[in-house]
Amino acid sequence: MLWLDAFFRFSAIGLLMLSMPVMLTSRKLSKPMVYLLVSQFFLLVHLLGFTPLAFHLPDELKLILRLLDVGLLVSVWLFVLSMFQRHFKLQVLHVVACAFVAAIMLAERLVQYGYMSSLPTWWAYLVNISALFITIHMVFVTITGHTDDLVEARRRTRIKMMLLVALSVTIMVVLGSVLLPEFQPTINAISIWPLVFIMSYWVFRVDDAVFAFDAVVNKQSQSLSVKETKLQTDLMQLIDSEKIYLQANITINSLAKKLGVSAHVLRQHINQHLGFENFSAFINQYRIEDIKLALENPENNHIPVLTLALNYGFNSLPPFNRAFKKITGQTPSAYRKNTLT
């Protein structure tokens, strides 16, 4: 068991120590890459500090490493959010959630090293439930944005990340903490290894499409093939004449079916030839243009903003407000006020 531990632990440490300098010297350190770098640091700290007793470390060093690695789970959580949540921005709620999870884990460490006397028996369940809750949220964020994403490299990355993170955390919590706690350091090292490997693979491959939300692939200047021209004509027919974007539940799959092409072909066309990374951004631009005209019309002054949003295909007010402000730089109410004065 010790040899198995050594293989996975030290190969993962080697990969992290190779990939982290590569990221630090990157010409463009995007927001997801920053969070990835932080995650890699905490992975390294965890692998160095949480070891079987046979690997002797100075007590002071082990204490420092074990206190630091309470940031591992929340750093991976922030990395996943920055990768797959559109327009992610660190907010107070994120900080509070990170502080809570790190604090309850830190309390366990302090008891373990004799700095606190004891904790309630239910504390371990609180730690495990918190870890599983964060894992479920990561999986939810990854899955919900998968259909909307038009960047093929990032779509594939979503699936890999979802499976890897869910598998790693589940093995750590269920197998390492509950069923086989005597082998927990080794189980953790084994469960972390695939995550470290795929992270390092991304770094060494230097695939910007995986990490960046703001890099749009746009080939509008290139001439279209006969099939692409027909697809473009049919798509604009549905947009301009039938105003298909007013359908509240329109999806890339339903639109592709109407056009008689696969969702993959349509996704690639909208991304590479029209310059959009997300299907909702493509649809929302047409909705917002219609709503702008409605807001500019004095006869609609009595109609609430929510009603207009629902009439033009949005399901609720918050996503409408975000989309409207992103395109116009103003809230709908401010836009109406400015145009009617």
Side-chain angles (χ1 to χ4, degrees):
M1 195 67 166
L2 199 59
W3 284 103
L4 189 66
D5 182 290
F7 170 78
F8 283 100
R9 183 179 305 278
F10 293 115
S11 60
I13 289 172
L15 287 172
L16 289 170
M17 294 184 71
L18 286 172
S19 62
M20 289 174 69
V22 172
M23 295 189 67
L24 285 170
T25 56
S26 174
R27 290 178 298 175
K28 183 181 179 182
L29 201 59
S30 63
K31 185 185 297 184
M33 291 179 73
V34 171
Y35 284 110
L36 175 60
L37 187 59
V38 174
S39 300
Q40 288 182 316
F41 168 75
F42 282 113
L43 282 167
L44 183 61
V45 166
H46 181 76
L47 289 167
L48 289 171
F50 193 38
T51 61
L53 295 176
F55 297 144
H56 299 290
L57 287 175
D59 291 340
E60 296 80 4
L61 176 60
K62 189 162 188 175
L63 172 62
I64 293 172
L65 293 172
R66 291 296 285 145
L67 293 181
L68 280 175
D69 82 354
V70 298
L72 173 58
L73 180 61
V74 292
S75 67
V76 174
W77 177 55
L78 292 177
F79 165 60
V80 171
L81 295 187
S82 69
M83 277 276 286
F84 303 131
Q85 203 170 53
R86 293 183 62 209
H87 317 307
F88 170 77
K89 184 178 180 181
L90 188 65
Q91 298 179 355
V92 174
L93 185 61
H94 297 122
V95 176
V96 171
C98 290
F100 173 76
V101 174
I104 61 176
M105 292 182 175
L106 183 61
E108 278 195 330
R109 303 285 196 278
L110 293 175
V111 170
Q112 180 183 355
Y113 288 95
Y115 289 92
M116 287 177 62
S117 57
S118 64
L119 290 169
T121 54
W122 48 263
W123 198 270
Y125 293 103
L126 178 63
V127 172
N128 291 334
I129 290 172
S130 299
L132 286 174
F133 180 81
I134 284 184
T135 304
I136 291 170
H137 185 253
M138 285 191 282
V139 172
F140 173 78
V141 168
T142 305
I143 291 175
T144 53
H146 180 261
T147 303
D148 191 50
D149 201 342
L150 299 176
V151 181
E152 193 60 36
R154 198 169 55 215
R155 281 171 52 81
R156 293 194 300 267
T157 300
R158 285 178 181 273
I159 301 300
K160 294 174 185 175
M161 177 58 65
M162 177 192 69
L163 294 175
L164 283 173
V165 172
L167 182 63
S168 293
V169 177
T170 303
I171 290 175
M172 283 186 195
V173 173
V174 176
L175 195 59
S177 298
V178 179
L179 299 179
L180 298 171
E182 66 273 20
F183 298 113
Q184 189 176 10
T186 299
I187 291 170
N188 281 16
I190 294 173
S191 65
I192 284 173
W193 192 91
L195 190 59
V196 172
F197 178 82
I198 197 66
M199 284 179 172
S200 301
Y201 172 71
W202 291 339
V203 172
F204 295 135
R205 192 178 57 171
V206 194
D207 191 344
D208 291 337
V210 171
F211 290 107
F213 261 127
D214 53 355
V216 178
V217 179
N218 193 343
K219 299 182 180 178
Q220 294 182 39
S221 59
Q222 295 185 10
S223 59
L224 301 178
S225 67
V226 175
K227 287 185 178 180
E228 290 169 341
T229 301
K230 182 179 185 307
L231 175 58
Q232 179 70 8
T233 301
D234 293 344
L235 176 60
M236 290 302 102
Q237 173 71 20
L238 289 176
I239 294 291
D240 297 332
S241 300
E242 299 186 27
K243 295 188 179 294
I244 196 169
Y245 54 86
L246 297 181
Q247 296 181 12
N249 298 317
I250 186 172
T251 64
I252 190 78
N253 290 324
S254 63
L255 183 56
K257 187 175 181 180
K258 281 184 173 291
L259 291 167
V261 298
S262 69
H264 173 76
V265 169
L266 180 58
R267 192 180 294 116
Q268 188 176 48
H269 182 83
I270 296 174
N271 174 234
Q272 295 187 353
H273 296 291
L274 301 182
F276 290 90
E277 289 191 68
N278 298 93
F279 181 67
S280 58
F282 168 68
I283 291 297
N284 286 344
Q285 74 158 356
Y286 296 102
R287 292 171 173 171
I288 297 300
E289 287 303 314
D290 281 7
I291 293 174
K292 283 168 59 179
L293 294 175
L295 291 172
E296 294 166 5
N297 188 345
E299 295 181 1
N300 296 326
N301 200 29
H302 66 286
I303 302 177
V305 169
L306 175 59
T307 301
L308 288 175
L310 296 176
N311 289 344
Y312 286 92
F314 286 93
N315 290 314
S316 61
L317 191 58
F320 164 62
N321 283 335
R322 287 194 297 268
F324 192 94
K325 190 170 183 180
K326 179 174 175 59
I327 291 175
T328 67
Q330 304 178 65
T331 64
S333 299
Y335 184 87
R336 167 181 268 172
K337 181 178 178 181
N338 292 336
T339 55
L340 295 179
T341 54

